[in-house]
Amino acid sequence: MYYIYITKSLKDGSLYKGFTEDLKERLKVHNQGGDDYTSRKRPWKLVWYCTFNDKKKALAFEKYLKSGSGRAFLKRHLL
């Protein structure tokens, strides 16, 4: 399974959108400071995720969520 997820920084409220094959481990890495970008804004809380069977579709959806249209979609439908 492939996951597209959104986490929220409990420090400043910012959102992070990402892709992983192991959601629990990825969240753990974010909260332990193992990623340059997310280490400055820890702790992180998982606010949404979606599973995919197809890696290409998952990556395409992640790319969409990071686009202007995708951010608008998030505001209207998910967050």
Side-chain angles (χ1 to χ4, degrees), residues 5-9 14-16 27 30 44-47:
Y5 64 93
I6 301 171
T7 57
K8 184 175 185 174
S9 169
S14 61
L15 299 176
Y16 179 85
L27 187 58
H30 286 312
W44 292 90
K45 176 184 173 186
L46 181 66
V47 294

Side-chain angles (χ1 to χ4, degrees), residues 1-75:
M1 296 298 280
Y2 304 99
Y3 299 89
I4 300 304
Y5 64 93
I6 301 171
T7 57
K8 184 175 185 174
S9 169
L10 298 179
K11 182 177 182 179
D12 69 2
S14 61
L15 299 176
Y16 179 85
K17 299 155 210 93
F19 164 86
T20 188
E21 292 182 40
D22 187 340
L23 191 55
K24 286 183 181 181
E25 181 62 27
R26 189 67 179 130
L27 187 58
K28 184 177 165 184
V29 169
H30 286 312
N31 281 316
Q32 290 179 343
D35 181 273
D36 287 339
Y37 176 79
T38 59
S39 66
R40 297 182 301 250
K41 299 182 176 205
R42 334 178 248 180
W44 292 90
K45 176 184 173 186
L46 181 66
V47 294
W48 180 87
Y49 72 93
C50 184
T51 60
F52 290 82
N53 291 320
D54 184 288
K55 186 175 184 178
K56 283 185 176 183
K57 288 181 181 180
L59 290 169
F61 191 63
E62 178 196 22
K63 185 176 180 179
Y64 167 72
L65 289 179
K66 291 179 176 181
S67 72
S69 297
R71 286 190 295 275
F73 173 81
L74 288 174
K75 286 182 182 180

